[in-house]
Amino acid sequence: MVHESVPSMAPPRGLPIARVRDIFNPDDVEQRLKRLKAQGHEREQATLCQTYERMLERGPQRFAVKPSGVPDMAPLYEQLPNFRAVLDDVKRHVALAQAGSDSLEVTPILLLGPPGVGKTHFAQQLAELLATTMTLVPMSSMTAGWLLSGSSSQWKGAKPGKVFEALVEGDFANPVIVVDEIDKASDHAQYDPLGALYGLLEPQTAQRFVDEFAEVPIDASQVIWITTANDERAIPEPILNRMNVFEIAPPTRDEARTIARLLYARLRAAHDWGRLFEEELSDEVLDQLAQLAPREMRRALMTAFGNARLDERDHLLPRDLPASSAAKSRIGFLN
């Protein structure tokens, strides 16, 4: 159920409109909790009882936000130049949502590309753009299928999955959930770790998603899904068919220089010590940074800032950057 909480005066263009949406039925939770207590299972099912009590304490209502207009995405196009096609797709969805009373609906996204091109950073920036939160689900470290959908309360150490946690413990009905390295999910013979996604990626079935631990239907239909992968061949076809697939190429050399320049400016602005450094990087430093994967640039810059301060300089030199980073992180460029 959706409840309006929109002020009578329309907010400035691009700022989020917040509605309140029920993500579960409290009666379902109360009945489950009463049943456990009536059966005398409070001790052996203490974690489950606490989960139900927590749900009732927090209540079922969560914010469902969407931009009131198409926000200014120019900074994102500049920061993420190799994500233009994805940003165009997001802009289309936002334009449709703000044109009426419908909730923001974004077709699940698969970002396909080599490590280090900024796929996870894109997801973080999208969550900020849409004024919601982001949850990361790293499939490469997965040892069991319960990471997404929870594990049965009958098992020792059982707990809810990441989808349940993001919705029940979070403040939003439409968080961004990133399934990172989906192509590296373990292929368990007894349990398909991606099994929950078949229903979660379909809005109609996601409306009554049941976590295996809590066993109470919750509405996950508003979740904004982003998956990342290096190789689409390892992803089941039915899951691929539920997503818009975008191949993310490494940035060109000029794009990489732009990314490095913007990152340098953001780091200066974010720290008080940034005022001690010049506003712009030299071409030599930019050229060396441009050889790094975007995710390596920040670490390299922080090292360089520290080295420059040790020398009591107000500018960075190529020798301030870690010598091994370029060799280890070089990802190549498009012409």
Side-chain angles (χ1 to χ4, degrees):
M1 183 180 296
V2 179
H3 308 274
E4 293 282 356
S5 65
V6 185
S8 57
M9 181 180 293
R13 180 175 175 82
L15 292 182
I17 296 174
R19 297 179 177 183
V20 175
R21 188 181 185 93
D22 290 343
I23 61 165
F24 63 84
N25 185 344
D27 291 342
D28 293 339
V29 181
E30 288 178 354
Q31 290 175 11
R32 288 269 178 184
L33 183 58
K34 286 179 182 178
R35 193 178 307 156
L36 279 177
K37 292 180 176 180
Q39 293 172 345
H41 291 167
E42 282 186 85
R43 278 191 181 178
E44 61 189 77
Q45 297 279 12
T47 304
L48 184 56
C49 286
Q50 291 169 5
T51 298
Y52 290 150
E53 289 167 354
R54 175 66 173 161
M55 293 176 74
L56 294 173
E57 177 188 350
R58 295 214 67 209
Q61 295 186 343
R62 299 293 181 272
F63 292 115
V65 297
K66 70 174 183 179
S68 61
V70 180
D72 179 14
M73 295 174 61
L76 281 185
Y77 280 94
E78 191 176 16
Q79 294 172 32
L80 301 162
N82 49 333
F83 286 81
R84 287 189 187 93
V86 198
L87 291 170
D88 287 346
D89 190 56
V90 170
K91 184 184 288 188
R92 285 189 287 268
H93 284 92
V94 171
L96 286 173
Q98 65 87 33
S101 60
D102 296 333
S103 300
L104 175 63
E105 181 179 334
V106 178
T107 303
I109 293 169
L110 170 61
L111 303 177
L112 189 64
V117 295
K119 299 189 291 288
T120 305
H121 177 64
F122 166 82
Q124 293 170 332
Q125 294 300 304
L126 178 62
E128 290 184 19
L129 175 76
L130 301 178
T132 186
T133 54
M134 188 194 88
T135 294
L136 183 68
V137 184
M139 301 301 279
S140 60
S141 61
M142 201 170 179
T143 56
W146 51 260
L147 197 55
L148 277 170
S149 59
S151 53
S152 171
S153 61
Q154 304 301 318
W155 294 94
K156 184 178 180 180
K159 60 181 182 179
K162 293 289 188 180
V163 177
F164 181 93
E165 288 180 353
L167 291 166
V168 173
E169 293 297 334
D171 295 321
F172 297 95
N174 58 341
V176 172
I177 297 183
V178 181
V179 183
D180 197 32
E181 297 186 309
I182 189 174
D183 52 330
K184 295 185 180 178
S186 303
D187 186 16
H188 297 284
Q190 296 182 337
Y191 196 108
D192 179 6
L194 298 179
L197 278 180
Y198 291 92
L200 284 167
L201 296 181
E202 293 284 358
Q204 289 184 335
T205 52
Q207 286 181 352
R208 292 187 61 80
F209 167 70
V210 178
D211 181 271
E212 292 192 23
F213 177 79
E215 296 185 322
V216 174
I218 59 174
D219 183 357
S221 63
Q222 301 297 297
V223 170
I224 298 165
W225 290 98
I226 297 179
T227 65
T228 75
N230 301 329
D231 185 356
E232 66 179 322
R233 292 173 297 180
I235 304 172
E237 192 66 28
I239 289 181
L240 273 177
N241 291 339
R242 287 167 164 81
M243 300 185 290
N244 284 343
V245 181
F246 298 92
E247 293 193 25
I248 309 300
T252 65
R253 184 173 295 278
D254 286 344
E255 289 173 344
R257 283 170 58 92
T258 298
I259 293 170
R261 187 182 297 112
L262 291 169
L263 182 54
Y264 175 79
R266 287 204 301 272
L267 288 173
R268 281 186 69 245
H271 298 87
D272 182 58
W273 46 254
R275 60 187 167 79
L276 302 174
F277 291 91
E278 292 184 347
E279 292 187 7
E280 296 292 337
L281 286 170
S282 69
D283 285 339
E284 292 78 14
V285 174
L286 281 174
D287 285 340
Q288 191 162 326
L289 283 168
Q291 297 180 57
L292 304 181
R295 71 178 178 191
E296 299 292 335
M297 287 182 186
R298 187 185 189 280
R299 290 200 294 269
L301 276 169
M302 291 300 292
T303 298
F305 277 126
N307 285 334
R309 284 311 302 153
L310 288 174
D311 282 351
E312 298 184 348
R313 278 185 279 105
D314 64 355
H315 59 282
L316 306 189
L317 297 175
R319 69 169 184 263
D320 294 325
L321 297 166
S324 60
S325 292
K328 182 176 72 173
S329 304
R330 193 184 303 268
I331 57 174
F333 301 95
L334 297 179
N335 296 322

